[in-house]
Amino acid sequence: MENVLVSCLTRMLSKDKQLYEHSMRVGNMAKQIAPYLDFDDQQTRKFVIGCCIHDVGKMLLPDDILNKSAPLNEEEWKVMRLHPLLGTQLILREGMLDQDIVDIVRFHHERWDGQGYPFGISGDKIPPMARMCSIMDAFDSMISDRPYRQGMSIQEAREELWRHIGTQFDLLYVERFLHLPEDLSSALGQ
């Protein structure tokens, strides 16, 4: 598992520093949150690795889409929505055999209401680790500056997560994320 992690992170860093930094922040959140999800050491290890490489498929996207300084148009979004499948294929080729990690990469953009991608699955059909990764992925994306928009405040991002319970996100995991101890919650937004 670790050799796939190192390979993917090294390639991400050489392709796109912003993608690498986002992936590392989501992985760090996973490490901080795992004890509050009652994960054992093995589950924590898988969760952190999966969250670190959740967006690895973006490395295979065209640079003009990945680095666009304006919102994507519909055609570009069609290409962007391929990254969970591309990432899954990449890590399987690299030798990733752990199903929990593969599921995080494959399903982290599925939504609780079934309106996500790439498969449009919903609710409990989405693996739990992928459901939690999607919350941290969204949170980090919301608070991060992009070339075409300024990041939200931590409070605004927390409110946005709350608004999307039952549509984009699982209530259980949003509640766990939003009810972390104050010092940990603040540290995750740094």
Side-chain angles (χ1 to χ4, degrees):
M1 286 191 290
E2 281 76 11
N3 59 336
V4 175
L5 172 67
V6 171
S7 171
C8 289
L9 289 175
T10 301
R11 291 169 64 188
M12 271 194 265
L13 181 57
S14 67
K15 167 90 172 170
D16 186 306
K17 186 178 179 196
Q18 185 177 20
L19 173 62
Y20 169 82
E21 290 172 349
H22 164 71
S23 298
M24 293 304 294
R25 288 190 303 269
V26 174
N28 183 53
M29 281 189 237
K31 184 177 180 182
Q32 301 301 318
I33 289 169
Y36 299 93
L37 299 173
D38 300 320
F39 285 171
D40 63 27
D41 289 345
Q42 182 68 6
Q43 290 169 312
T44 297
R45 194 165 145 250
K46 293 177 186 187
F47 186 51
V48 171
I49 291 171
C51 288
C52 283
I53 62 172
H54 73 282
D55 272 344
V56 69
K58 287 184 177 179
M59 290 190 319
L60 304 174
L61 297 177
D63 288 340
D64 60 327
I65 291 177
L66 191 59
N67 299 318
K68 189 172 179 182
S69 60
L72 300 178
N73 65 37
E74 187 54 40
E75 287 304 310
E76 292 163 333
W77 266 114
K78 285 180 184 175
V79 174
M80 179 62 78
R81 287 184 190 109
L82 296 174
H83 83 268
L85 294 174
L86 295 171
T88 300
Q89 293 167 357
L90 175 73
I91 65 172
L92 290 172
R93 276 195 314 269
E94 292 275 331
M96 177 56 69
L97 302 175
D98 188 274
Q99 193 61 50
D100 290 327
I101 295 170
V102 172
D103 285 349
I104 291 170
V105 174
R106 181 181 288 141
F107 298 119
H108 73 278
H109 278 295
E110 297 294 347
R111 293 172 42 126
W112 189 253
D113 63 5
Q115 298 301 306
Y117 60 90
F119 302 105
I121 61 174
S122 63
D124 291 331
K125 293 178 184 133
I126 306 166
M129 288 185 185
R131 282 185 260 158
M132 190 66 210
C133 181
S134 74
I135 294 165
M136 297 179 307
D137 180 31
F139 180 78
D140 186 70
S141 294
M142 287 187 277
I143 64 171
S144 299
D145 290 338
R146 297 287 189 249
Y148 53 90
R149 66 155 175 82
Q150 184 173 352
M152 297 178 179
S153 70
I154 291 173
Q155 185 58 37
E156 289 170 324
R158 291 169 61 87
E159 291 168 6
E160 191 72 10
L161 289 175
W162 191 255
R163 271 193 293 278
H164 292 281
I165 288 172
T167 54
Q168 188 169 354
F169 305 116
D170 179 343
L171 169 66
L172 172 69
Y173 292 127
V174 170
E175 283 184 335
R176 288 194 183 180
F177 184 81
L178 294 179
H179 291 100
L180 291 170
E182 190 64 37
D183 58 334
L184 178 57
S185 182
S186 295
L188 292 177
Q190 298 299 328

